[in-house]
């Protein structure tokens, strides 16, 4: 009953506004009463003062520049799902190591300057012994191995860290 009365009032207000050339849709309050729009003394509707040319001065936050150091090698871990064997391989840049039926070649390993034990990323090419086309070719990230992972039914391979030269404090 109340809903039909409110709807009737809304329709009547809309019809009156349509006769004046304006269409006015006014949502009801929670208790069902209508909100009356603000009007000027001459009876016209009060238009909000909007500055459509206003653009806030929003500067993009500057991201800190990270300088990457190229390491002489990397430590890569392999998992054979069939046997459960886990093998850590220490590869020098350009070196290829065998793991099961896979050939893993390290292209390059990099880590952030000032944080050698932090994140590392390495370019790896992984091939099956039987195929010429690589199973995986790209960058792997130590902190996010699933971000760019090798997809193989039997083997998992992921980067652990870069190998730091002996002059920088040992083999990391």
């Amino acid at each position: 009953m109340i809903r039909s009365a409110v709807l009737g009032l809304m329709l009547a207000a809309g019809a009156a506004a349509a006769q004046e050339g304006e269409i006015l849709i006014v949502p009801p309050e929670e208790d069902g009463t209508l909100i009356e729009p603000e009007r000027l003394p001459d009876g016209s509707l009060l238009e909000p003062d909007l500055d459509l040319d206003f653009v806030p001065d929003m500067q993009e936050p500057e991201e800190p520049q990270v300088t990457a150091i190229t390491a002489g090698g990397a430590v890569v871990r392999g998992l054979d799902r069939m046997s459960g064997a886990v093998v850590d391989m220490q590869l020098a840049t350009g070196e290829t190591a065998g793991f099961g039926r896979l050939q893993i070649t390290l292209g390059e390993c990099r880590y952030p300057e000032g944080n050698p034990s932090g994140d590392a990323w390495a370019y790896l090419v992984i091939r099956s012994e039987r195929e010429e086309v690589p199973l995986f070719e790209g960058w792997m990230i130590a902190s996010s191995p699933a971000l760019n992972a090798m997809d193989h039914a039997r083997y998992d391979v992921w980067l652990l860290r870069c190998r730091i030269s002996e002059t920088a404090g040992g083999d990391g």
Side-chain angles (χ1 to χ4, degrees):
M1 176 83 171
I2 294 176
R3 287 186 186 173
S4 62
V6 169
L7 183 60
L9 287 174
M10 288 177 64
L11 289 175
Q19 289 175 354
E20 295 175 10
E22 301 176 19
I23 296 178
L24 178 66
I25 299 175
V26 180
E29 289 281 345
E30 289 182 16
D31 63 356
T33 59
L34 292 176
I35 302 171
E36 190 62 35
E38 293 185 47
R39 294 193 178 268
L40 295 174
D42 65 355
S44 63
L45 290 176
L46 177 66
E47 294 291 328
D49 184 25
L50 298 177
D51 184 6
L52 299 178
D53 295 326
F54 173 74
V55 178
D57 184 25
M58 298 180 65
Q59 296 177 350
E60 292 291 324
E62 290 185 24
E63 294 189 23
Q65 295 293 325
V66 177
T67 304
I69 305 295
T70 301
V75 180
V76 178
R77 179 168 286 169
L79 168 67
D80 183 342
R81 296 182 196 177
M82 298 282 287
S83 67
V86 176
V87 176
D88 288 350
M89 297 162 274
Q90 296 193 21
L91 300 170
T93 300
E95 184 179 4
T96 300
F99 173 63
R101 295 182 179 163
L102 301 179
Q103 296 294 318
I104 303 166
T105 304
L106 174 65
E108 188 175 9
C109 191
R110 299 178 186 173
Y111 62 91
E113 180 182 38
N115 188 8
S117 62
D119 200 9
W121 56 98
Y123 189 82
L124 298 173
V125 179
I126 304 172
R127 289 185 167 88
S128 175
E129 289 178 344
R130 300 178 189 173
E131 298 178 21
E132 185 63 31
V133 178
L135 293 170
F136 176 86
E137 184 174 8
W139 291 93
M140 281 193 182
I141 302 171
S143 64
S144 303
L147 187 63
N148 194 18
M150 180 188 76
D151 185 25
H152 193 273
R154 180 171 179 172
Y155 300 106
D156 278 338
V157 175
W158 65 94
L159 174 68
L160 291 179
R161 64 185 176 277
C162 289
R163 287 177 52 194
I164 302 168
S165 66
E166 285 75 20
T167 59
D171 189 20

